[in-house]
PDB file of all heavy atoms in Angstrom:
ATOM      1  N   PRO Z  50     -56.125 -39.048 -21.748  1.00 98.00           N
ATOM      2  CA  PRO Z  50     -54.952 -39.130 -22.647  1.00 98.00           C
ATOM      3  C   PRO Z  50     -54.284 -40.474 -22.521  1.00 98.00           C
ATOM      4  O   PRO Z  50     -53.700 -40.890 -23.567  1.00 98.00           O
ATOM      5  CB  PRO Z  50     -54.058 -38.054 -22.100  1.00 98.00           C
ATOM      6  CG  PRO Z  50     -54.423 -37.817 -20.679  1.00 98.00           C
ATOM      7  CD  PRO Z  50     -55.911 -38.066 -20.611  1.00 98.00           C
ATOM      8  N   TRP Z  51     -54.408 -41.208 -21.496  1.00 98.00           N
ATOM      9  CA  TRP Z  51     -53.674 -42.504 -21.346  1.00 98.00           C
ATOM     10  C   TRP Z  51     -54.320 -43.517 -22.285  1.00 98.00           C
ATOM     11  O   TRP Z  51     -53.555 -44.299 -22.916  1.00 98.00           O
ATOM     12  CB  TRP Z  51     -53.752 -42.976 -19.967  1.00 98.00           C
ATOM     13  CG  TRP Z  51     -53.562 -41.863 -18.940  1.00 98.00           C
ATOM     14  CD1 TRP Z  51     -54.448 -41.406 -18.009  1.00 98.00           C
ATOM     15  CD2 TRP Z  51     -52.412 -41.073 -18.789  1.00 98.00           C
ATOM     16  NE1 TRP Z  51     -53.965 -40.330 -17.343  1.00 98.00           N
ATOM     17  CE2 TRP Z  51     -52.737 -40.128 -17.729  1.00 98.00           C
ATOM     18  CE3 TRP Z  51     -51.130 -41.054 -19.407  1.00 98.00           C
ATOM     19  CZ2 TRP Z  51     -51.811 -39.123 -17.346  1.00 98.00           C
ATOM     20  CZ3 TRP Z  51     -50.224 -40.049 -18.990  1.00 98.00           C
ATOM     21  CH2 TRP Z  51     -50.580 -39.098 -18.059  1.00 98.00           C
ATOM     22  N   SER Z  52     -55.603 -43.551 -22.450  1.00 98.00           N
ATOM     23  CA  SER Z  52     -56.192 -44.501 -23.342  1.00 98.00           C
ATOM     24  C   SER Z  52     -55.872 -44.078 -24.823  1.00 98.00           C
ATOM     25  O   SER Z  52     -55.639 -44.990 -25.651  1.00 98.00           O
ATOM     26  CB  SER Z  52     -57.734 -44.525 -23.227  1.00 98.00           C
ATOM     27  OG  SER Z  52     -58.090 -45.047 -21.983  1.00 98.00           O
ATOM     28  N   ALA Z  53     -55.724 -42.786 -25.047  1.00 98.00           N
ATOM     29  CA  ALA Z  53     -55.320 -42.415 -26.492  1.00 98.00           C
ATOM     30  C   ALA Z  53     -53.946 -42.812 -26.702  1.00 98.00           C
ATOM     31  O   ALA Z  53     -53.674 -43.342 -27.838  1.00 98.00           O
ATOM     32  CB  ALA Z  53     -55.446 -40.862 -26.539  1.00 98.00           C
ATOM     33  N   VAL Z  54     -53.024 -42.732 -25.788  1.00 98.00           N
ATOM     34  CA  VAL Z  54     -51.713 -43.185 -25.989  1.00 98.00           C
ATOM     35  C   VAL Z  54     -51.696 -44.664 -26.130  1.00 98.00           C
ATOM     36  O   VAL Z  54     -51.040 -45.290 -26.963  1.00 98.00           O
ATOM     37  CB  VAL Z  54     -50.768 -42.769 -24.814  1.00 98.00           C
ATOM     38  CG1 VAL Z  54     -49.420 -43.489 -24.867  1.00 98.00           C
ATOM     39  CG2 VAL Z  54     -50.566 -41.257 -24.740  1.00 98.00           C
ATOM     40  N   GLY Z  55     -52.486 -45.315 -25.215  1.00 98.00           N
ATOM     41  CA  GLY Z  55     -52.615 -46.789 -25.278  1.00 98.00           C
ATOM     42  C   GLY Z  55     -53.002 -47.377 -26.623  1.00 98.00           C
ATOM     43  O   GLY Z  55     -52.512 -48.345 -27.086  1.00 98.00           O
ATOM     44  N   ARG Z  56     -53.967 -46.660 -27.315  1.00 97.00           N
ATOM     45  CA  ARG Z  56     -54.380 -47.143 -28.670  1.00 97.00           C
ATOM     46  C   ARG Z  56     -53.250 -47.095 -29.604  1.00 97.00           C
ATOM     47  O   ARG Z  56     -53.116 -47.847 -30.492  1.00 97.00           O
ATOM     48  CB  ARG Z  56     -55.562 -46.261 -29.092  1.00 97.00           C
ATOM     49  CG  ARG Z  56     -56.921 -46.634 -28.479  1.00 97.00           C
ATOM     50  CD  ARG Z  56     -58.105 -45.969 -29.239  1.00 97.00           C
ATOM     51  NE  ARG Z  56     -58.157 -44.540 -28.944  1.00 97.00           N
ATOM     52  CZ  ARG Z  56     -58.641 -44.006 -27.810  1.00 97.00           C
ATOM     53  NH1 ARG Z  56     -59.182 -44.729 -26.905  1.00 97.00           N
ATOM     54  NH2 ARG Z  56     -58.642 -42.719 -27.727  1.00 97.00           N
ATOM     55  N   GLU Z  57     -52.419 -46.074 -29.466  1.00 96.00           N
ATOM     56  CA  GLU Z  57     -51.282 -45.885 -30.315  1.00 96.00           C
ATOM     57  C   GLU Z  57     -50.216 -47.021 -30.142  1.00 96.00           C
ATOM     58  O   GLU Z  57     -49.547 -47.395 -31.071  1.00 96.00           O
ATOM     59  CB  GLU Z  57     -50.665 -44.511 -30.048  1.00 96.00           C
ATOM     60  CG  GLU Z  57     -49.899 -43.900 -31.252  1.00 96.00           C
ATOM     61  CD  GLU Z  57     -49.412 -42.510 -30.859  1.00 96.00           C
ATOM     62  OE1 GLU Z  57     -50.195 -41.734 -30.355  1.00 96.00           O
ATOM     63  OE2 GLU Z  57     -48.159 -42.253 -31.073  1.00 96.00           O
ATOM     64  N   VAL Z  58     -49.984 -47.395 -28.899  1.00 97.00           N
ATOM     65  CA  VAL Z  58     -48.922 -48.354 -28.641  1.00 97.00           C
ATOM     66  C   VAL Z  58     -49.402 -49.811 -28.270  1.00 97.00           C
ATOM     67  O   VAL Z  58     -48.552 -50.609 -28.038  1.00 97.00           O
ATOM     68  CB  VAL Z  58     -47.955 -47.817 -27.461  1.00 97.00           C
ATOM     69  CG1 VAL Z  58     -47.337 -46.522 -27.809  1.00 97.00           C
ATOM     70  CG2 VAL Z  58     -48.787 -47.733 -26.115  1.00 97.00           C
ATOM     71  N   GLY Z  59     -50.684 -49.962 -28.437  1.00 97.00           N
ATOM     72  CA  GLY Z  59     -51.224 -51.265 -28.220  1.00 97.00           C
ATOM     73  C   GLY Z  59     -51.277 -51.821 -26.810  1.00 97.00           C
ATOM     74  O   GLY Z  59     -50.945 -52.884 -26.439  1.00 97.00           O
ATOM     75  N   MET Z  60     -51.689 -50.851 -25.862  1.00 97.00           N
ATOM     76  CA  MET Z  60     -51.835 -51.256 -24.470  1.00 97.00           C
ATOM     77  C   MET Z  60     -53.130 -50.606 -23.986  1.00 97.00           C
ATOM     78  O   MET Z  60     -53.685 -49.739 -24.635  1.00 97.00           O
ATOM     79  CB  MET Z  60     -50.734 -50.532 -23.625  1.00 97.00           C
ATOM     80  CG  MET Z  60     -49.401 -51.198 -23.656  1.00 97.00           C
ATOM     81  SD  MET Z  60     -48.212 -50.183 -22.802  1.00 97.00           S
ATOM     82  CE  MET Z  60     -46.873 -50.238 -23.909  1.00 97.00           C
ATOM     83  N   SER Z  61     -53.516 -51.099 -22.836  1.00 98.00           N
ATOM     84  CA  SER Z  61     -54.756 -50.414 -22.193  1.00 98.00           C
ATOM     85  C   SER Z  61     -54.352 -49.059 -21.621  1.00 98.00           C
ATOM     86  O   SER Z  61     -53.181 -48.837 -21.332  1.00 98.00           O
ATOM     87  CB  SER Z  61     -55.360 -51.271 -21.132  1.00 98.00           C
ATOM     88  OG  SER Z  61     -54.434 -51.350 -20.006  1.00 98.00           O
ATOM     89  N   GLY Z  62     -55.356 -48.215 -21.470  1.00 98.00           N
ATOM     90  CA  GLY Z  62     -55.047 -46.910 -20.777  1.00 98.00           C
ATOM     91  C   GLY Z  62     -54.536 -47.109 -19.382  1.00 98.00           C
ATOM     92  O   GLY Z  62     -53.635 -46.391 -18.866  1.00 98.00           O
ATOM     93  N   GLU Z  63     -55.055 -48.157 -18.736  1.00 98.00           N
ATOM     94  CA  GLU Z  63     -54.601 -48.430 -17.342  1.00 98.00           C
ATOM     95  C   GLU Z  63     -53.135 -48.771 -17.332  1.00 98.00           C
ATOM     96  O   GLU Z  63     -52.401 -48.398 -16.397  1.00 98.00           O
ATOM     97  CB  GLU Z  63     -55.411 -49.642 -16.734  1.00 98.00           C
ATOM     98  CG  GLU Z  63     -56.871 -49.330 -16.392  1.00 98.00           C
ATOM     99  CD  GLU Z  63     -57.786 -49.304 -17.586  1.00 98.00           C
ATOM    100  OE1 GLU Z  63     -57.381 -49.920 -18.648  1.00 98.00           O
ATOM    101  OE2 GLU Z  63     -58.824 -48.747 -17.550  1.00 98.00           O
ATOM    102  N   GLU Z  64     -52.714 -49.574 -18.300  1.00 98.00           N
ATOM    103  CA  GLU Z  64     -51.283 -49.990 -18.274  1.00 98.00           C
ATOM    104  C   GLU Z  64     -50.403 -48.794 -18.590  1.00 98.00           C
ATOM    105  O   GLU Z  64     -49.283 -48.715 -17.951  1.00 98.00           O
ATOM    106  CB  GLU Z  64     -51.034 -51.105 -19.324  1.00 98.00           C
ATOM    107  CG  GLU Z  64     -49.541 -51.548 -19.236  1.00 98.00           C
ATOM    108  CD  GLU Z  64     -49.206 -52.788 -20.104  1.00 98.00           C
ATOM    109  OE1 GLU Z  64     -50.095 -53.282 -20.824  1.00 98.00           O
ATOM    110  OE2 GLU Z  64     -48.050 -53.168 -19.995  1.00 98.00           O
ATOM    111  N   VAL Z  65     -50.846 -47.908 -19.502  1.00 98.00           N
ATOM    112  CA  VAL Z  65     -50.089 -46.727 -19.765  1.00 98.00           C
ATOM    113  C   VAL Z  65     -49.909 -45.889 -18.500  1.00 98.00           C
ATOM    114  O   VAL Z  65     -48.742 -45.451 -18.154  1.00 98.00           O
ATOM    115  CB  VAL Z  65     -50.643 -45.896 -20.899  1.00 98.00           C
ATOM    116  CG1 VAL Z  65     -49.959 -44.552 -21.084  1.00 98.00           C
ATOM    117  CG2 VAL Z  65     -50.695 -46.674 -22.242  1.00 98.00           C
ATOM    118  N   LEU Z  66     -51.047 -45.647 -17.815  1.00 98.00           N
ATOM    119  CA  LEU Z  66     -50.990 -44.829 -16.592  1.00 98.00           C
ATOM    120  C   LEU Z  66     -50.155 -45.458 -15.579  1.00 98.00           C
ATOM    121  O   LEU Z  66     -49.298 -44.779 -14.920  1.00 98.00           O
ATOM    122  CB  LEU Z  66     -52.447 -44.661 -16.086  1.00 98.00           C
ATOM    123  CG  LEU Z  66     -52.632 -43.932 -14.813  1.00 98.00           C
ATOM    124  CD1 LEU Z  66     -51.997 -42.573 -14.916  1.00 98.00           C
ATOM    125  CD2 LEU Z  66     -54.154 -43.767 -14.467  1.00 98.00           C
TER     126      LEU Z  66
END
Side-chain angles (χ1 to χ4, degrees):
Chain Z
W51 319 114
S52 293
V54 171
R56 281 192 291 279
E57 207 178 309
V58 299
M60 282 173 225
S61 68
E63 289 77 21
E64 183 172 3
V65 172
L66 178 55

